[in-house]
Amino acid sequence: MNEVLASSVTCLYGVGEERANDLKALGIETIQDLLEYFPVRYEDYRIRDLSEVKDGERVTLVATVYSEPSVRFYGKKKSRLTVRLVIDRVAVTGVWFNQPFVKKHLSPGKQVVVTGKWDKHKLQIIVSELMDADSPRARKRSDLAAVYPLSGSVSLAFLRKLIDQALTQYGDHVTETLPSELVERYRLMPRAQAIRAIHAPGDLEEGRQARRRIMFEELFLFQLKIQAYRRITRQQTEGVAQQIPMEEVRSFIRSLPFSLTGAQKRVIKEILDDMQANYAMNRLLQGDVGSGKTVVAAIALLASVKAGFQGALMVPTEILAEQHLQSLRSLLEPCGIQVALLSGSLTAKQRRDVIDGLQMGLIDVAVGTHALIQEDVYFRRLGLVITDEQHRFGVEQRRILRSKGFSPDVLFMTATPIPRTLAITAFGDMDVSTIDELPAGRKPVETSWAKHEQFHLVLEQMRRELDRGRQAYVICPLIEESDKLDVQNAIDVHAQLTTYFRQYRVGLMHGRLPAKEKDDVMQRFASGELQVLVSTTVVEVGVNVPNATYMVVYDAERFGLAQLHQLRGRVGRGADQSYCVLIADPKTEVGRERMRVMCETNDGFELSQRDLELRGPGDFFGTKQSGLPEFKVADLTTDYKALEVARQEAASLVASDHFWRGPEFEALRNLLRREGILEGTVLD
Ligand code: ADP
Ligand code: MG
């Protein structure tokens, strides 16, 4: 940036060491920090007409002093000053608390400007600020005063004055950061003008335009770093260009019992293109539950194996590993591909065999949980790693995985639709493929919301489905795997339903069952031997029993919307109409709104966007693990369109040669250099 702006705030009149320390607590050390300390809102000092002021409003009015002020003291240091004022021909009372000294500014006949809270019924204004009508600020009629977030001993008045001083002395040193094409294309305020206007706008619209410019800059520079980083790492990593025999892939696709959706075809092309290129793939595949990600994964694994490599599929739970093993086996084994399970439930001997098979290259595809990346597991030629529900895997696991092979291509799959804004922010260093289309003929799950007292009606409806030969899930909340109370809850509901549905078999599943028993229960439900499955959220992901058409979620208000949607995805997997009933008595309006949203939409992306709006981005991923950046001005819940535009512009800029050479981009390149991006420093 600019050297002058980098100088310390102590250059300013009135800032000594002590003040400098106070400012430092707010993160302000240089003139630039001060100029970029943005207001959160404006206080409106524009003079209003008394007739249009509402009761209780904070307002600025012009008044004529009509009487001598009178002061009454009470208690220690407490006083009340009143004076008769005439405002727009109305006689009103001006009241000042604990400011007896204003008395000398209030001589009868004088014109003043008062700011304060209007009490319509008592015809009085409780004044917080007083100005002479002929003071320079009072004469400037369109006055919006910036309000800054404050803490410690810095006062608002002091900060306003200081910023004013900095703007006067240094405002002309502010230089443009955005490429001029962008400033023109999006009609953005030039930077110097925006910095002035955000602190002291002539009117609210000017303030909005200033904010829009600064918000865009923030998002653009953020995306520029990510896009530049992506481009550089892509150039630097030595990936394997897999030689995929495309004819074999095509004939596999033809052999499937259904034809792929357009969206599936598109993402397969994106994935295979990455695998064939000589950089390492780093791609996120997102698709709603039931959108057909598994078959996409199978095709990618087939391609990799046919190109002479091994593949690994990593999943969060044993149940899911088991399920994926079965679906991959039935898809891939007919093509001569060996698929094996590597999980914690294997005996030592079984485990040894799988590990040897992987090392010798006898096994083509390994499916498993974290056990897949343990120390003693080696692959002969690992080409592709797919992880399902990637957000459950930490950065460290990803790193170990990558180090297992010759920088394998990596595909992260998630069925938790993340609003696109968050996807490109939190996972900005990845390419994103989205399956935004469900296979034809799917009936949306009919979702309704019932109160606890209506539970017996719900059970009657459930009985009708069971009588038609269908199966049902009853889900009980589970916050932590170890939460005894919740397990007890599932056990109780199981006991209750066992007596209620005497003619049907009711199974019980929760995280505390031994793996063997879980598998057993799941098998019996899948085969239809059990008609009802009472379960905690362990059935959340991946479980596929098409004959199950009914789901009841107990205490639904305790789940996140994304999780409810995941759960709901366990039904509606066959050709028949399915139902999901949410049992909940939410206490808050937001809670009720969340239930309504669930009933209204079946679209996971829309749902996650609504959830984001209801909860805000910080909460969205539960904890702060999301790696979302903190923006000063931009707000991802409202500015996501701008983020998208910023991302496209940044990507096309770093893809152009003149960005890396042109002198007009020197400043931006310097920014990247300062962030260590041009040196190829790894951010991850
Ligand atoms: P996801 O993993 O995305 O939730 P799955 O891959 O489990 O979805 O697919 C759900 C079901 O849809 C599976 O039974 C699968 O065989 C089937 N399926 C996948 N793609 C298609 C398609 N294009 N047309 C019809 N059925 C499909
Ligand atoms: Mg799946």
Side-chain angles (χ1 to χ4, degrees):
M1 275 301 123
N2 191 303
E3 270 179 44
V4 178
L5 297 182
S7 32
S8 157
V9 280
T10 50
C11 299
L12 293 168
Y13 175 76
V15 183
E17 206 166 300
E18 199 178 323
R19 290 288 203 191
N21 266 329
D22 294 345
L23 289 167
K24 196 172 169 184
L26 297 174
I28 302 170
E29 292 184 64
T30 63
I31 301 291
Q32 184 180 339
D33 295 338
L34 186 63
L35 293 179
E36 295 180 4
Y37 197 78
F38 298 125
V40 281
R41 60 184 176 85
Y42 303 103
E43 246 161 32
D44 199 341
Y45 285 102
R46 286 171 302 178
I47 289 162
R48 301 266 301 275
D49 227 43
L50 189 57
S51 57
E52 62 185 36
V53 181
K54 291 193 208 77
D55 183 43
E57 225 182 325
R58 183 192 170 284
V59 67
T60 299
L61 300 161
V62 178
T64 307
V65 180
Y66 191 73
S67 70
E68 285 290 342
S70 75
V71 186
R72 216 156 41 84
F73 287 91
Y74 52 98
K76 245 196 237 165
K77 291 187 189 167
K78 288 193 176 169
S79 70
R80 185 173 191 268
L81 181 151
T82 53
V83 70
R84 306 285 291 163
L85 302 168
V86 176
I87 299 176
D88 297 332
R89 300 199 185 166
V90 182
V92 309
T93 310
V95 180
W96 279 255
F97 286 106
N98 311 325
Q99 300 175 66
F101 46 85
V102 300
K103 189 175 172 183
K104 60 177 184 285
H105 300 287
L106 298 168
S107 41
K110 191 172 172 186
Q111 276 229 326
V112 290
V113 178
V114 289
T115 300
K117 195 171 156 190
W118 176 237
D119 184 331
K120 193 172 176 168
H121 307 295
K122 292 187 187 155
L123 286 180
Q124 92 182 6
I125 178 164
I126 300 180
V127 182
S128 50
E129 288 175 62
L130 172 71
M131 275 184 285
D132 281 356
D134 55 1
S135 75
R137 209 173 95 208
R139 264 184 281 126
K140 199 173 120 205
R141 287 282 153 122
S142 60
D143 215 354
L144 294 170
V147 178
Y148 300 90
L150 286 176
S151 64
S153 51
V154 179
S155 79
L156 185 56
F158 173 73
L159 194 63
R160 277 180 187 159
K161 262 195 211 143
L162 205 62
I163 288 178
D164 195 43
Q165 189 194 149
L167 283 171
T168 312
Q169 286 178 20
Y170 300 97
D172 292 340
H173 290 275
V174 172
T175 51
E176 188 51 72
T177 47
L178 294 176
S180 50
E181 306 107 77
L182 292 187
V183 174
E184 278 161 38
R185 190 171 316 142
Y186 300 106
R187 295 176 202 207
L188 300 171
M189 223 180 241
R191 189 167 210 273
Q193 190 187 334
I195 293 284
R196 279 181 197 284
I198 200 166
H199 293 293
D203 55 34
L204 285 173
E205 178 55 24
E206 201 191 353
R208 260 195 293 276
Q209 288 302 330
R211 183 195 168 276
R212 185 171 75 91
R213 139 80 212 207
I214 290 164
M215 175 270 291
F216 187 83
E217 170 187 299
E218 216 170 20
L219 297 175
F220 177 79
L221 295 181
F222 166 69
Q223 282 295 332
L224 187 72
K225 288 175 209 163
I226 288 179
Q227 299 302 330
Y229 168 72
R230 250 181 71 185
R231 199 179 162 78
I232 289 164
T233 44
R234 186 170 272 201
Q235 280 161 352
Q236 286 173 349
T237 49
E238 274 294 301
V240 216
Q242 304 196 30
Q243 305 291 323
I244 299 172
M246 286 308 288
E247 198 31 60
E248 286 190 60
V249 175
R250 274 191 284 270
S251 96
F252 174 76
I253 291 174
R254 276 194 302 271
S255 76
L256 293 171
F258 44 76
S259 49
L260 297 176
T261 61
Q264 282 172 319
K265 284 184 199 152
R266 193 187 64 237
V267 303
I268 288 166
K269 180 171 182 328
E270 288 165 355
I271 292 166
L272 297 191
D273 281 353
D274 271 359
M275 289 167 60
Q276 284 169 304
N278 62 2
Y279 50 79
M281 170 165 73
N282 182 27
R283 187 172 283 279
L284 177 74
L285 172 62
Q286 53 171 353
D288 213 338
V289 273
S291 62
K293 290 181 297 299
T294 309
V295 67
V296 171
I299 290 166
L301 288 167
L302 172 106
S304 193
V305 172
K306 293 296 176 189
F309 292 87
Q310 288 166 299
L313 175 63
M314 219 158 100
V315 296
T317 65
E318 304 259 328
I319 296 182
L320 205 49
E322 194 65 52
Q323 286 245 335
H324 273 300
L325 178 76
Q326 278 161 20
S327 33
L328 287 183
R329 272 202 173 137
S330 66
L331 284 163
L332 297 178
E333 278 186 355
C335 313
I337 292 174
Q338 290 302 316
V339 187
L341 177 72
L342 188 62
S343 80
S345 60
L346 298 186
T347 65
K349 161 90 176 64
Q350 287 170 322
R351 184 178 150 78
R352 197 68 254 157
D353 287 349
V354 175
I355 287 175
D356 289 347
L358 286 172
Q359 196 159 3
M360 289 187 290
L362 300 173
I363 294 170
D364 302 308
V365 174
V367 182
T369 56
H370 287 87
L372 261 188
I373 56 162
Q374 275 162 15
E375 287 282 295
D376 58 342
V377 182
Y378 290 93
F379 289 82
R380 200 169 114 92
R381 254 195 122 190
L382 182 62
L384 173 66
V385 171
I386 303 180
T387 86
D388 201 0
E389 291 309 305
Q390 69 92 27
H391 57 280
R392 298 189 188 202
F393 290 95
V395 171
E396 177 58 11
Q397 282 123 2
R398 288 197 237 164
R399 194 191 57 73
I400 298 174
L401 249 177
R402 275 167 207 251
S403 72
K404 289 277 170 186
F406 319 117
S407 24
D409 288 312
V410 180
L411 180 68
F412 303 95
M413 296 203 294
T414 177
T416 311
I418 301 158
R420 203 177 150 69
T421 32
L422 291 192
I424 63 182
T425 312
F427 308 113
D429 61 320
M430 288 188 223
D431 299 286
V432 178
S433 287
T434 303
I435 310 187
D436 50 8
E437 181 185 353
L438 291 182
R442 286 278 165 76
K443 289 203 182 72
V445 177
E446 226 172 76
T447 305
S448 55
W449 164 31
K451 304 270 167 68
H452 276 102
E453 62 189 37
Q454 298 166 306
F455 191 47
H456 60 284
L457 296 176
V458 175
L459 290 182
E460 275 317 298
Q461 199 185 13
M462 184 161 134
R463 187 195 291 282
R464 283 196 289 278
E465 281 296 297
L466 296 175
D467 290 346
R468 294 175 56 230
R470 303 285 173 244
Q471 289 164 277
Y473 294 100
V474 178
I475 309 295
C476 302
L478 179 69
I479 307 301
E480 296 254 352
E481 285 269 312
S482 62
D483 199 326
K484 270 195 205 136
L485 264 178
D486 286 325
V487 171
Q488 189 54 46
N489 190 10
I491 292 171
D492 291 347
V493 172
H494 174 254
Q496 189 189 347
L497 295 192
T498 307
T499 9
Y500 191 86
F501 295 119
R502 289 204 180 281
Q503 66 278 51
Y504 294 115
R505 275 177 302 276
V506 182
L508 173 66
M509 166 91 114
H510 58 76
R512 297 195 135 198
L513 294 179
K516 177 83 191 57
E517 209 169 312
K518 277 192 227 166
D519 283 353
D520 192 51
V521 174
M522 211 51 237
Q523 289 308 336
R524 288 166 60 210
F525 186 66
S527 72
E529 189 192 324
L530 297 172
Q531 286 83 40
V532 180
L533 184 63
V534 176
S535 173
T536 58
T537 51
V538 286
V539 296
E540 184 181 336
V541 274
V543 171
N544 192 15
V545 181
N547 190 45
T549 56
Y550 203 86
M551 171 173 284
V552 179
V553 184
Y554 221 78
D555 290 335
E557 74 271 23
R558 289 174 62 184
F559 296 90
L561 291 193
Q563 203 183 8
L564 283 176
H565 184 62
Q566 279 295 316
L567 287 166
R568 177 168 66 179
R570 298 311 106 216
V571 293
R573 301 179 82 84
D576 286 306
Q577 180 61 54
S578 289
Y579 306 90
C580 175
V581 184
L582 308 171
I583 310 270
D585 297 316
K587 305 252 175 322
T588 64
E589 184 47 37
V590 169
R592 287 185 284 275
E593 181 59 21
R594 293 171 71 236
M595 292 303 115
R596 284 193 283 270
V597 169
M598 279 305 295
C599 298
E600 273 163 29
T601 181
N602 257 292
D603 177 336
F605 286 94
E606 191 189 328
L607 205 94
S608 63
Q609 184 64 44
R610 301 271 296 266
D611 204 13
L612 172 65
E613 284 158 16
L614 285 171
R615 287 202 279 169
D619 268 3
F620 188 79
F621 288 98
T623 54
K624 282 260 168 194
Q625 55 124 353
S626 55
L628 290 177
E630 302 257 338
F631 294 113
K632 281 189 189 168
V633 170
D635 174 355
L636 292 183
T637 46
T638 50
D639 298 328
Y640 52 89
K641 290 208 179 88
L643 179 62
E644 181 73 50
V645 170
R647 190 184 72 101
Q648 279 161 12
E649 291 292 351
S652 79
L653 187 61
V654 299
S656 73
D657 238 18
H658 68 284
F659 174 74
W660 300 100
R661 285 184 234 290
E664 71 271 35
F665 297 110
E666 183 60 25
L668 287 178
R669 289 196 301 269
N670 276 334
L671 173 82
L672 298 178
R673 213 165 273 134
R674 269 202 311 279
E675 300 267 337
I677 292 172
L678 287 195
E679 274 73 47
T681 312
V682 177
L683 294 174
D684 199 63

